[in-house]
């Protein structure tokens, strides 16, 4: 019988400071070279992700991860707590695509020249960098502990909110237009759709996919101002 992944634990929001209330964290704190911690942790996460996709989460062992990453088992706990911790870090990385120049901060749509530029980045990142993590999320969702699944759903809701704020920033729509939330949810769905349909989309270049979807979405948003109005507005008419 498979046990639930994870359990009750406290997490913070940035990956570098992502910690759990676990005695082993003291070993991580003793390493005073942040660049080394980031490099080794990335090695472990990348190796684990490959194995989770190849073998499944439950069939992958810490020994497997160490062998694939080239990091010995004695050092494993200097950088992560356990296998559950690795999974949580991978899920966090999925919901927080980083700007290369931002020290780990996720993109703010308003920081770019257009909403279409933000969507291109979001979709291309999902296809080129986040594909396996998104696939892993859907494969392991049924085995997650309730608090971990809640964390995933919370990150998903935060992404929807960030996208909705981007729509508000770039498009002159009324604040109570409930279609904004609907479109934001569609965008987040499309962001997951690409990796989940990867088997049938491999013939397309990542940039082409991202630009095509981004243009479709922005064209759709452009019709909101000329459409029939929000549900609330129609009820008042």
């Amino acid at each position: 019988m498979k046990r639930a992944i994870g359990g009750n634990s406290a997490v913070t929001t940035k990956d570098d400071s992502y910690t759990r209330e676990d005695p082993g964290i003291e070993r991580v704190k003793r390493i005073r070279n942040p660049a080394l911690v980031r490099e080794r942790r990335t090695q472990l996460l990348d190796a684990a992700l490959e194995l989770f996709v190849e073998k499944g989460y439950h069939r992958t062992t810490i020994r497997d991860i160490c062998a694939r990453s080239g990091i010995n088992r004695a050092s494993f706990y200097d950088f992560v707590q356990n296998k559950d911790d690795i999974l949580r870090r991978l899920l966090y990385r999925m919901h927080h695509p980083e700007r290369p120049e931002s020290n780990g901060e996720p993109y703010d749509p308003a920081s770019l020249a257009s909403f279409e530029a933000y969507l291109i980045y979001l979709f291309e990142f999902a296809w080129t960098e986040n594909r396996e993590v998104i696939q892993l999320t859907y494969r392991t969702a049924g085995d997650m502990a309730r608090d971990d699944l809640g964390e995933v759903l919370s990150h998903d809701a935060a992404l929807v909110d960030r996208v909705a704020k981007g729509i508000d920033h770039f498009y002159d729509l009324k604040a109570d237009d409930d279609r904004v939330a609907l479109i934001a949810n569609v965008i987040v769905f499309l962001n997951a759709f690409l990796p989940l349909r990867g088997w049938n989309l491999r013939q397309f270049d990542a940039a082409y996919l991202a630009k095509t979807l981004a243009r479709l979405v922005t064209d759709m948003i452009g019709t909101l101002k000329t459409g029939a109005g929000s549900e609330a507005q129609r009820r008042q008419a």
Side-chain angles (χ1 to χ4, degrees), residues 35-62:
L36 177 63
V37 172
R38 181 187 289 263
E39 179 184 349
R40 295 291 185 266
R41 188 176 287 157
T42 298
Q43 284 179 246
L44 287 167
L45 265 60
D46 290 346
L49 178 57
E50 291 177 2
L51 289 163
F52 291 164
V53 172
E54 290 173 14
K55 301 177 61 173
Y57 177 83
H58 290 285
R59 294 181 61 190
T60 298
T61 66
I62 290 176

Side-chain angles (χ1 to χ4, degrees), residues 105-118:
E105 289 296 329
Y107 259 121
D108 174 5
S111 69
L112 298 178
S114 68
F115 191 63
E116 185 171 348
Y118 171 70

Side-chain angles (χ1 to χ4, degrees), residues 74-233:
S75 298
F76 176 89
Y77 298 101
D78 289 336
F79 306 107
V80 294
Q81 301 305 306
N82 48 39
K83 201 168 69 168
D84 292 347
D85 185 36
I86 288 177
L87 178 62
R88 291 190 182 97
R89 290 178 186 277
L90 288 171
L91 296 177
Y92 180 86
R93 190 164 73 180
M94 176 184 76
H95 287 98
H96 295 79
E98 298 177 0
R99 295 178 293 170
E101 73 283 5
S102 69
N103 295 319
E105 289 296 329
Y107 259 121
D108 174 5
S111 69
L112 298 178
S114 68
F115 191 63
E116 185 171 348
Y118 171 70
L119 292 179
I120 289 172
Y121 167 79
L122 195 67
F123 293 147
E124 191 162 2
F125 185 88
W127 183 249
T128 59
E129 303 292 334
N130 235 359
R131 186 190 319 186
E132 292 178 330
V133 184
I134 291 174
Q135 292 171 345
L136 178 66
T137 301
Y138 284 90
R139 291 180 185 179
T140 58
D143 294 323
M144 288 182 189
R146 181 177 297 178
D147 58 333
D148 293 318
L149 182 58
E151 191 75 17
V152 170
L153 296 176
S154 175
H155 286 313
D156 189 76
L159 179 57
V160 171
D161 184 61
R162 192 156 61 244
V163 170
K165 288 179 179 177
I167 297 172
D168 286 337
H169 177 79
F170 285 106
Y171 295 89
D172 184 22
L173 299 172
K174 293 184 180 297
D176 63 347
D177 194 330
D178 49 22
R179 295 171 301 173
V180 172
L182 176 60
I183 296 298
N185 274 278
V186 169
I187 290 170
V188 173
F189 168 78
L190 289 173
N191 197 50
F193 165 83
L194 284 176
L196 294 179
R197 294 288 295 179
W199 59 273
N200 202 33
L201 296 173
R202 294 185 185 279
Q203 70 270 33
F204 296 109
D205 175 76
Y208 173 80
L209 281 171
K211 290 177 181 178
T212 301
L213 278 180
R215 177 55 58 88
L216 286 171
V217 170
T218 52
D219 285 350
M220 176 174 58
I221 296 173
T223 67
L224 293 181
K225 290 191 288 186
T226 58
S230 70
E231 182 66 25
Q233 292 167 337

